[in-house]
């Protein structure tokens, strides 16, 4: 058994005009490599906050996070990406007027020469797409795609950056049936570690959820 991601006694509160809101109250977490986890719990129980801490968007007030046994000392998404954590947010961060290939590659390297880059970019995306069985057309303009396919592009983007842990925040929320089918197939065929915040029983069953973590 190999633990890829671990959290111990995480605390986090938000300061608001009407006082402090307790979002995480000593949360422990242990994620085994290659398994599919569902994070469940009522609205406001801290699911998104926990994922945002793991992705380095929030710094916990106290507690510790370990990625592949290494303690995280700086909470920062760049740092999380470097350690192999990828996150797909509820609201995507794609550039609608750019192609699939541009969106995926854009996230990493500065451009060299536009012309030779293009070809290389498309080849890399095609390779990645084949490797993970996540079919996309590198030349499609992202704004023209269904939400399901856009989500697939988001996932490929994290894989391109080398993610081996995928965090998904409510991946089927507000999706049409066709998009739910696409995202279900995407996750079912993905062999890495997945942590999905979701109450969608059908999605969790169809993707083959293996562990449930309840936040209270
Ligand atoms: P969940 O994803 O389980 O619905 P959240 O992590 O979004 O829960 O929220 C946990 C608690 O923190 C809730 O009480 C919520 O209202 C509060 N909260 C979340 N984000 C903020 C924020 N940016 N500012 C103030 N309070 C917040
Ligand atoms: Mg949430």
């Amino acid at each position: 058994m190999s633990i890829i991601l671990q959290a111990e006694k995480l605390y986090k509160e938000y300061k608001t005009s009407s006082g402090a809101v307790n979002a995480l109250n000593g949360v422990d977490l242990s994620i085994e490599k290659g398994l599919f986890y569902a994070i469940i719990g009522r609205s406001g129980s801290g699911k998104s906050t926990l994922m945002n801490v793991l992705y380095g968007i929030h710094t916990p007030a106290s507690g510790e996070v370990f990625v592949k046994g290494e303690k995280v000392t700086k909470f920062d998404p760049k740092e999380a990406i470097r350690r192999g954590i990828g996150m797909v947010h509820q609201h995507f961060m794609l550039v609608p007027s750019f192609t699939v290939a541009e969106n995926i590659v854009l996230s990493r390297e500065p451009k060299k020469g536009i012309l030779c880059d293009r070809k290389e970019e498309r080849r890399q995306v095609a390779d990645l797409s084949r490797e993970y069985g996540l079919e996309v057309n590198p030349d499609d303009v992202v704004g023209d795609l269904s939400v399901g396919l856009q989500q697939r592009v988001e996932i490929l983007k994290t894989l391109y950056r080398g993610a081996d842990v995928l965090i998904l925040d409510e991946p089927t929320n507000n999706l049409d049936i066709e998009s739910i089918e696409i995202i279900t197939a995407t996750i079912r065929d993905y062999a890495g570690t997945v942590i999905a915040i979701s109450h969608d029983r059908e999605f969790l069953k169809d993707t083959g959820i293996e562990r449930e973590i309840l936040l209270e």
Side-chain angles (χ1 to χ4, degrees):
M1 183 177 85
S2 159
I3 301 298
I4 195 161
L5 184 58
Q6 200 175 359
E8 283 173 12
K9 297 196 177 57
L10 288 181
Y11 287 83
K12 164 80 189 163
E13 61 175 30
Y14 295 102
K15 303 230 175 352
T16 68
S17 49
S18 50
V21 179
N22 229 340
L24 298 178
N25 225 328
V27 173
D28 294 322
L29 189 76
S30 188
I31 301 295
E32 202 176 316
K33 189 176 175 186
L35 295 189
F36 178 23
Y37 290 79
I39 306 280
I40 52 176
R42 64 175 170 76
S43 174
S45 60
K47 303 181 295 296
S48 294
T49 302
L50 175 60
M51 294 304 116
N52 287 336
V53 167
L54 297 177
Y55 191 57
I57 292 170
H58 295 320
T59 303
S62 65
E64 287 171 350
V65 174
F66 298 87
V67 182
K68 294 158 196 164
E70 253 180 61
K71 186 174 157 177
V72 174
T73 51
K74 187 175 162 216
F75 288 83
D76 168 49
K78 280 209 189 84
E79 193 59 24
I81 290 165
R82 196 183 62 73
R83 291 172 189 267
I85 297 176
M87 181 158 179
V88 177
H89 298 268
Q90 265 175 301
H91 305 284
F92 304 153
M93 318 260 173
L94 301 169
V95 184
S97 60
F98 282 14
T99 66
V100 167
E102 284 165 348
N103 266 283
I104 292 171
V105 176
L106 176 95
S107 58
R108 203 169 69 177
E109 283 153 34
K111 294 267 181 285
K112 291 179 208 121
I114 295 285
L115 277 179
C116 53
D117 242 23
R118 279 275 143 90
K119 207 166 143 201
E120 173 62 11
E121 191 173 281
R122 294 174 71 262
R123 194 189 56 75
Q124 287 182 1
V125 169
D127 284 355
L128 198 68
S129 169
R130 203 169 316 113
E131 185 183 345
Y132 289 96
L134 304 177
E135 207 180 304
V136 286
N137 178 355
D139 298 324
D140 280 349
V141 173
V142 157
D144 294 340
L145 299 177
S146 69
V147 184
L149 283 172
Q150 290 190 21
Q151 183 141 215
R152 181 177 289 179
V153 174
E154 281 277 19
I155 291 172
L156 283 167
K157 195 168 110 179
T158 70
L159 297 174
Y160 182 76
R161 297 163 164 186
D164 47 18
V165 179
L166 211 56
I167 297 175
L168 307 162
D169 195 350
E170 316 245 17
T172 59
N173 252 20
N174 305 317
L175 293 199
D176 55 277
I177 290 179
E178 193 197 321
S179 290
I180 291 181
E181 278 170 8
I182 292 170
I183 192 64
T184 300
T186 303
I187 299 303
R188 193 185 48 224
D189 296 343
Y190 174 62
T193 311
V194 177
I195 309 173
I197 300 179
S198 180
H199 288 100
D200 184 341
R201 303 299 336 174
E202 207 163 332
F203 166 76
L204 295 174
K205 182 168 140 279
D206 291 347
T207 47
I209 185 220
E210 291 165 292
R211 300 277 191 280
E212 269 185 21
I213 294 168
L214 175 67
L215 284 193
E216 290 175 284

